[in-house]
Amino acid sequence: MSQSTLFITHKALPGKRDEVRRAWETHLAPSIEARQIHDAYFYCYDDSDPDTIRVFQRYVDGADPQAFMQGPAYDAYIAAVSPLLAHPPKVHAATVAWAKSMAAPVTETA
């Protein structure tokens, strides 16, 4: 398995987390929805810190996460959120060793 993942932490200035999310929704969400490069993407609020956002991204086999992060949508996003962040996003790359499939739909039984 050669899937790549990124774990990204954003630390917003106090009270600015929702503004960071709006910038993400404006600049990145449409690109992420339209492209097939991400096969999993989770944008999460940290339950223990009201100013922290944690993002998990999994890329399809062979995809280059750096290519997405060097595109115009990401550049526009960083320009919009930089004044709202306590420091630049922290990005940690990882290689998937195993993953439970999310492809199978959950069905309810009556």
Side-chain angles (χ1 to χ4, degrees):
M1 183 177 293
S2 64
Q3 290 176 320
S4 296
T5 61
L6 294 180
F7 295 90
I8 302 172
T9 302
H10 292 77
K11 179 71 171 181
L13 294 172
K16 299 292 184 181
R17 184 167 74 173
D18 288 338
E19 289 183 51
V20 173
R21 180 178 177 179
R22 284 191 290 277
W24 177 85
E25 289 171 339
T26 299
H27 297 288
L28 289 184
S31 178
I32 293 163
E33 286 286 339
R35 299 175 73 210
Q36 298 300 314
I37 194 169
H38 296 100
D39 65 356
Y41 195 107
F42 295 87
Y43 187 96
C44 308
Y45 282 174
D46 188 312
D47 290 342
S48 65
D49 182 344
D51 299 317
T52 296
I53 299 161
R54 300 195 186 276
V55 178
F56 168 76
Q57 303 175 19
R58 187 175 69 190
Y59 290 78
V60 296
D61 283 341
D64 178 11
Q66 293 302 319
F68 177 76
M69 294 176 64
Q70 294 171 355
Y74 192 79
D75 290 344
Y77 168 71
I78 292 298
V81 298
S82 290
L84 305 172
L85 298 177
H87 52 73
K90 294 181 180 178
V91 179
H92 300 276
T95 299
V96 176
W98 182 89
K100 178 180 176 180
S101 174
M102 294 186 302
V106 175
T107 57
E108 293 184 28
T109 57

